[in-house]
Amino acid sequence: MSVYKKRWEGGHVRKNRTVSLTFPNSMVFRDDYLIKRSLNVDYVILYAWITHKEAMVHHAPRAESYWHAVVRDYSFLDPVPPFERPYKEHNRCLTWNTEQAWKLQANRIPRCPRENDLMEINFPYASSGEGTGIVKKFQKFKNRELEAMRKHHLSYPTFTISLWLYLLHFCERALCGILYFIDSGEMYGTPALFLTNEGKRKKIPGGLN
């Protein structure tokens, strides 16, 4: 999400220019009676580049302008957690009832219910050899910060699986599936784990695009 842009044209005079970064209040200050929902920012990247005026295309995408620049650089900024940020001075008078209601919650840090991303399967599970097996889906988090992180990692998820596998018969095919998911394009939507007819494990990468 792009939250700050600044562009200017310079002549042939060499001089230093100081640019002040201006971010939205929800990224800089704590919640108060006007700023209702401060954003929990995971990371901030600041890009800067210089382009020849003759080659500048104002409607070009930012990534295209950046990679075709004469000089370019970037830097990571350290975001401050919402409850470690200062309150903003709004310079306005509150009504008596609004001020009293604000004082009751001014220094409180709300506690969210405990949530985890652990997916448990009732043990033991006896498989009769059907093709579907067990299908589990992760539920959405109620905590907005956790849910934002979950959505952010949808394109490159990571997970750990732990299981004990007891076989009554050897695998009769070249590969017997232990863990895999086939998406709508008939491709492996997750890394796959198979068992060979020799009793060995075989891993197939998937879900990386």
Side-chain angles (χ1 to χ4, degrees):
M1 178 185 295
S2 178
V3 296
Y4 175 83
K5 293 180 180 180
K6 184 70 174 180
R7 175 190 295 155
W8 71 86
E9 295 182 4
H12 297 286
V13 180
R14 294 184 178 181
K15 61 180 180 179
N16 295 328
R17 179 163 184 167
T18 301
V19 180
S20 299
L21 299 179
T22 304
F23 294 115
N25 290 336
S26 57
M27 291 179 58
V28 181
F29 300 103
R30 283 188 62 169
D31 285 4
D32 58 18
Y33 49 89
L34 290 180
I35 305 173
K36 298 300 182 182
R37 301 191 71 178
S38 294
L39 297 178
N40 186 27
V41 183
D42 292 329
Y43 60 91
V44 178
I45 306 177
L46 177 64
Y47 294 94
W49 63 93
I50 299 176
T51 306
H52 285 304
K53 185 177 181 180
E54 294 78 9
M56 182 181 297
V57 181
H58 292 280
H59 61 271
R62 187 199 67 184
E64 181 179 339
S65 300
Y66 179 79
W67 291 112
H68 289 84
V70 178
V71 178
R72 60 179 179 268
D73 198 3
Y74 68 94
S75 178
F76 287 92
L77 306 182
D78 295 326
V80 180
F83 293 103
E84 295 182 12
R85 301 170 188 166
Y87 288 110
K88 181 177 180 179
E89 294 289 343
H90 293 287
N91 297 323
R92 64 169 58 186
C93 296
L94 301 177
T95 60
W96 182 87
N97 57 338
T98 302
E99 184 178 0
Q100 297 306 312
W102 165 243
K103 287 181 178 180
L104 292 176
Q105 60 177 359
N107 295 315
R108 290 184 180 180
I109 299 179
R111 293 186 177 183
C112 299
R114 182 179 179 182
E115 300 181 82
N116 60 53
D117 54 359
L118 180 65
M119 182 67 68
E120 293 186 275
I121 300 175
N122 294 330
F123 182 84
Y125 167 73
S127 174
S128 59
E130 66 273 15
T132 56
I134 301 177
V135 178
K136 288 284 187 177
K137 292 185 178 181
F138 290 100
Q139 301 299 319
K140 295 182 178 180
F141 289 108
K142 297 179 180 178
N143 184 299
R144 59 187 175 123
E145 283 78 20
L146 294 177
E147 179 61 14
M149 293 177 62
R150 185 189 71 85
K151 291 181 178 179
H152 178 71
H153 289 88
L154 284 178
S155 56
Y156 49 95
T158 58
F159 63 92
T160 301
I161 181 172
S162 176
L163 58 85
W164 288 88
L165 188 64
Y166 298 93
L167 299 177
L168 298 180
H169 305 283
F170 284 106
C171 176
E172 298 178 354
R173 294 170 294 183
L175 294 175
C176 292
I178 299 176
L179 172 70
Y180 66 93
F181 176 76
I182 304 297
D183 59 19
S184 57
E186 297 187 353
M187 300 293 291
Y188 288 114
T190 63
L193 182 63
F194 292 92
L195 186 69
T196 68
N197 51 13
E198 297 177 352
K200 298 180 180 180
R201 293 174 298 172
K202 182 175 182 180
K203 293 184 292 184
I204 299 178
L208 303 178
N209 297 326

